[in-house]
Amino acid sequence: MAQTSKKMQIVFASAECAPFVKTGGLGDVAGSLPAALVRAGAEVIVMVPKYATIKDEYKAQMEHFADFYVSLSWRNEYCGLEKLEHDGVTYMFVDNEHYFARDYPYGFFDDGERFAFFSKAITESLQHLPEGFECDILHCNDWQTALAPVFLREFYQGLPLYDRVKTVFSIHNVAFQGQFSDTVMEDILGMAHIPAAATQLRCDACSINYMLGALHYADAITTVSPTYAGEIQTPEFGEGLDGVLRERSYALQGILNGIDVVGFDPATDKRIAANYTVDDRAGKAVCKAKLQEELGLEIRDDRPLMVMVTRLTRQKGMDLVMYALDRILSGGVQVAVLGTGDRDYEDGLRYFQGKYPGTMAARIEFDPALSQRMYAAADMFLMPSKFEPCGLSQIIAMRYGTLPIVRETGGLKDTVQPYNEFTGEGTGFSFSHFNGDEMGDAVFRAARLFWDNRKAWDQLVTQAMSQDFSWTRSADKYLDLYFFMHPEIERPVAVEAAAAVEEPVAVEEPVAAEAEPAAPVKEPAAAEAEPAAPVKEPAAAEEPKAEEKPADDGEVKPTAKPAAKKTTTRKTTAKKATTAKAATSKTTTARATTTRKRTTAAAKKAVEAEAAPEVKTEATAEATTAEAKTAAKAPAKTAAKKTTATKTATAKKATATKSPATKAATTKAASKTAPKAAAKPAVKVEEAPSEPKAEAAVEAKPATKTTTRKRATTTAKKATTKTAAPKAEAKAKDKPAVKAEPEPKAAEVKTAPKATAKTEPAKKAPVSPAAPAEEKAPTKKTSVRKATATRKRR
């Protein structure tokens, strides 16, 4: 299917949207996610009812865009679209005063009819959007918009404009489903005559369920956290819908909510007493003192202040709070609670405020400004929910450096990492069971850390404030879902990102990896003069230095190693890399050919070395000295002589050692003796995989016995990488320090970019040798003998 370059066009439908109307987390999501999607390159239109409670300043900015009539069973209702541009997002307000000109968004006897109209208006509006906007994704949220996917399928399917529309339904809280009398099916929805709809909407013999309809009809289902997505498929959390959620689990996924990191920023927030940052938190102490004074608490910085900003309901864990509050307050922890809800909980909080004056403060009211001051001033934030789809309060608290204490459920488990006293990791504290004693224990774990180890506490605060909970991450995951449903639409952002990642790997990375071997700078160059495989091997050999497993980024990790090497070596490497880049592709090819020819000649010598290891080693050393500086001649000969004492028994032992740890030790030792190895072809271990013999002899020179043995092992392992390797190995042996080598290094990258640009060089090197292993056994054995000889000599 050919892809088109059009932007992804999304209609996002919600019953509330900040800053226009908000009663809970849904308003925050609808107010932030569309803007993040726009920043990611999509086009978004948000559809919201035009409530009478929307501020006049926003109403004044609206312009009438379109009007039409919506049929709802026997009704024919007016619908107007009022357009407003805000922060780069287009909002369409559905206007119908009969349904929406009320003092509050929900809670009326005719909510079933009101939001059935809203859902039908959404689907009808797809024909009246701005020119050039053809809806690709209709994203509906919670039960108030749940009928839109049902109407779309039953009444609009087959129409050209609607055939391309894919539907996504997001569950923000499965406990609120929109259940109404069965009479709604015919009188309002007009679907009683459609067997499929009547069956899939009915939840029992006398009622229908709006959310149930969306779960059956939507193309994809999401919820607001990964853990909650799993929980709602169980009877305990599914609220009666777990069965259909399990049936459609293939279409269900959890995507964690984010927050508006600009609006919730302690460094710029004008609603708090003093601003502060993660690096300078002096302002937080000021906020704490001011809040203590405001709430009538003792102004003390040596007592932890724990707050709650919540609805006072059982779902929010108020049963646990009432049970453990006496213990917490008597233990020296200050507590402040803000919220409204069930009368029993409100009265209970007032009781404790009277019992513990100066330690307990209860504000039974709704005050957004005060809640902001509490987030900024507190040391701990308590959120012991029985269930929590996502939760934003704990995220906001962390943003302000207030450590959350949560129950491990839903989004609380996904967003708060419990403190580990042994490693120092974590962003808060948690407990597992819905139990008051467990909650109390978690509170005092936090309090004891505050009292006994302030340094660890401050580090934990730093980690919490450093978390990324922006909508950018969440928007990317939603876009992944959208583009999965519309594979014909090209995603330019993803393509650019991929290109950006590949470029450095293809050009920069190989050079850095080659420069890695410090002293043996010439060796990687020789290795590059060969086919693609030699380029991979240096990466595989260098990875052990960083003590990392072979991986895609194996070439990058070793770059941290050069810090331990001499500056002189770095300069030499950089110089050669620059010269190499200047070389033309033609010159590179010629040198590569020359190198191969020399390799053939050297291969024969390598075979002879098996019978006369000492002579072979000396010859190799001489060849090396001829190319290297005069200062390195003496060390080269000395190393060659040391290889004369070779024993077969010891060779076998050396051959048996092939662990990554051994390679790491070898490489490390080699780097220490880099100055000596500079004149030697030591790096041949990386360039020519099949010359274990000569390789070991030269490698022995750098130093420790372990180094020699490990290099031999590494060489033997690499020897199996190619069947034609013997020639290259011997050749590199004979002429290890060819002047042309430095240039082929960088030039090779240009001539054979495919080989160098591979992102998994480290992985292939260790695996491919399996086949040729048997053929190279003799060479490996000889190589090991020389390694052993070196060891004995030392």
Side-chain angles (χ1 to χ4, degrees), residues 688-728:
S690 63
E691 185 192 344
K693 282 195 272 185
E695 188 80 9
V698 179
E699 299 283 319
K701 176 179 181 177
T704 66
K705 304 174 183 178
T706 304
T707 301
T708 306
R709 182 174 58 191
K710 305 204 182 240
R711 285 210 180 233
T713 303
T714 304
T715 306
K717 188 173 183 181
K718 293 180 179 178
T720 59
T721 304
K722 284 190 173 185
T723 53
K727 295 181 180 182

Side-chain angles (χ1 to χ4, degrees), residues 63-379:
E63 61 176 278
H64 183 72
F65 181 77
D67 56 75
F68 46 88
Y69 282 84
V70 173
S71 61
L72 207 61
S73 186
W74 52 268
R75 301 166 185 77
N76 200 32
E77 298 287 347
Y78 167 84
C79 178
L81 293 182
E82 305 293 322
K83 182 180 177 183
L84 171 64
E85 299 284 343
H86 182 73
D87 290 343
V89 180
T90 300
Y91 294 88
M92 289 288 187
F93 292 89
V94 175
D95 182 25
N96 183 298
E97 293 189 357
H98 171 64
Y99 290 129
F100 304 126
R102 306 189 187 186
D103 297 333
Y104 197 75
Y106 321 121
F108 300 95
F109 74 97
D110 60 345
D111 277 356
E113 181 180 338
R114 296 172 67 222
F115 291 104
F117 167 80
F118 181 49
S119 295
K120 189 71 176 290
I122 292 168
T123 55
E124 188 69 23
S125 296
L126 300 186
Q127 306 174 52
H128 303 277
L129 298 179
E131 185 178 355
F133 193 103
E134 295 182 359
C135 179
D136 299 308
I137 298 291
L138 174 58
H139 191 150
C140 302
N141 297 269
D142 270 354
W143 72 267
Q144 296 90 347
T145 60
L147 289 178
V150 181
F151 287 137
L152 189 71
R153 182 82 61 84
E154 296 298 349
F155 295 149
Y156 297 87
Q157 189 172 25
L159 298 177
L161 178 66
Y162 291 87
D163 278 348
R164 67 176 294 102
V165 179
K166 300 295 183 182
T167 54
V168 177
F169 180 70
S170 289
I171 303 171
H172 294 265
N173 192 334
V174 78
F176 302 99
Q177 303 172 6
Q179 295 185 20
F180 301 97
S181 169
D182 191 27
T183 59
V184 171
M185 182 70 74
E186 178 58 29
D187 186 58
I188 296 176
L189 308 186
M191 289 186 173
H193 64 288
I194 304 175
T199 301
Q200 297 182 82
L201 279 168
R202 184 172 280 107
C203 57
D204 58 43
C206 59
S207 60
I208 64 172
N209 187 315
Y210 285 11
M211 183 177 286
L212 179 62
L215 298 183
H216 281 300
Y217 279 85
D219 295 307
I221 306 168
T222 69
T223 189
V224 290
S225 72
T227 296
Y228 192 61
E231 290 178 343
I232 60 178
Q233 296 180 56
T234 66
E236 181 182 1
F237 295 97
E239 299 290 344
L241 296 181
D242 54 289
V244 66
L245 287 167
R246 285 195 298 273
E247 290 175 9
R248 300 216 62 202
S249 59
Y250 62 89
L252 170 65
Q253 67 171 301
I255 300 177
L256 197 64
N257 281 343
I259 61 170
D260 179 4
V261 293
V262 176
F264 294 106
D265 186 356
T268 58
D269 196 340
K270 301 302 181 184
R271 297 166 291 183
I272 61 180
N275 295 120
Y276 55 93
T277 65
V278 63
D279 298 318
D280 181 6
R281 297 196 287 271
K284 188 169 178 65
V286 175
C287 290
K288 180 177 179 179
K290 291 289 186 182
L291 183 68
Q292 288 173 325
E293 180 181 3
E294 178 183 354
L295 299 181
L297 301 175
E298 295 181 14
I299 303 177
R300 297 177 58 175
D301 60 1
D302 62 336
R303 299 186 69 178
L305 172 60
M306 181 174 72
V307 303
M308 291 184 71
V309 178
T310 182
R311 285 184 290 112
L312 305 180
T313 63
R314 187 170 191 274
Q315 183 223 320
K316 295 300 183 179
M318 288 306 298
D319 285 349
L320 307 188
V321 175
M322 292 295 103
Y323 173 83
L325 200 51
D326 208 352
R327 172 190 171 193
I328 293 171
L329 292 169
S330 61
V333 177
Q334 290 184 332
V335 178
V337 181
L338 171 66
T340 60
D342 296 349
R343 182 65 178 272
D344 289 343
Y345 299 132
E346 293 179 353
D347 292 341
L349 292 175
R350 292 191 183 99
Y351 164 76
F352 283 110
Q353 179 177 241
K355 184 178 180 180
Y356 293 94
T359 303
M360 171 71 192
R363 293 292 180 269
I364 311 303
E365 58 185 303
F366 177 74
D367 188 340
L370 176 57
S371 69
Q372 206 65 21
R373 295 195 292 274
M374 292 173 73
Y375 283 125
D379 298 301

Side-chain angles (χ1 to χ4, degrees), residues 316-457:
K316 295 300 183 179
M318 288 306 298
D319 285 349
L320 307 188
V321 175
M322 292 295 103
Y323 173 83
L325 200 51
D326 208 352
R327 172 190 171 193
I328 293 171
L329 292 169
S330 61
V333 177
Q334 290 184 332
V335 178
V337 181
L338 171 66
T340 60
D342 296 349
R343 182 65 178 272
D344 289 343
Y345 299 132
E346 293 179 353
D347 292 341
L349 292 175
R350 292 191 183 99
Y351 164 76
F352 283 110
Q353 179 177 241
K355 184 178 180 180
Y356 293 94
T359 303
M360 171 71 192
R363 293 292 180 269
I364 311 303
E365 58 185 303
F366 177 74
D367 188 340
L370 176 57
S371 69
Q372 206 65 21
R373 295 195 292 274
M374 292 173 73
Y375 283 125
D379 298 301
M380 303 180 293
F381 188 90
L382 181 60
M383 200 168 179
S385 304
K386 182 177 179 59
F387 65 90
E388 194 68 58
C390 176
L392 299 179
S393 296
Q394 81 281 7
I395 299 176
I396 297 172
M398 285 189 280
R399 177 74 170 155
Y400 283 83
T402 299
L403 299 183
I405 301 172
V406 303
R407 193 174 92 80
E408 295 173 359
T409 183
L412 301 180
K413 182 176 181 180
D414 293 327
T415 55
V416 179
Q417 181 184 3
Y419 171 64
N420 185 320
E421 63 180 308
F422 302 106
T423 63
E425 298 175 327
T427 57
F429 303 85
S430 66
F431 61 100
S432 300
H433 302 95
F434 193 67
N435 178 285
D437 289 321
E438 273 197 44
M439 187 199 78
D441 292 342
V443 170
F444 281 107
R445 280 202 304 274
R448 280 194 295 272
L449 187 67
F450 178 89
W451 285 317
D452 302 337
N453 193 343
R454 190 57 68 88
K455 182 178 180 181
W457 175 273

Side-chain angles (χ1 to χ4, degrees), residues 754-781:
K754 293 182 179 181
T756 314
K758 290 185 179 180
T759 58
E760 298 181 356
K763 290 182 179 177
K764 295 181 181 178
V767 178
S768 58
E774 295 181 0
E775 299 178 8
K776 292 322 239 171
T779 307
K780 185 195 307 181
K781 188 173 182 181

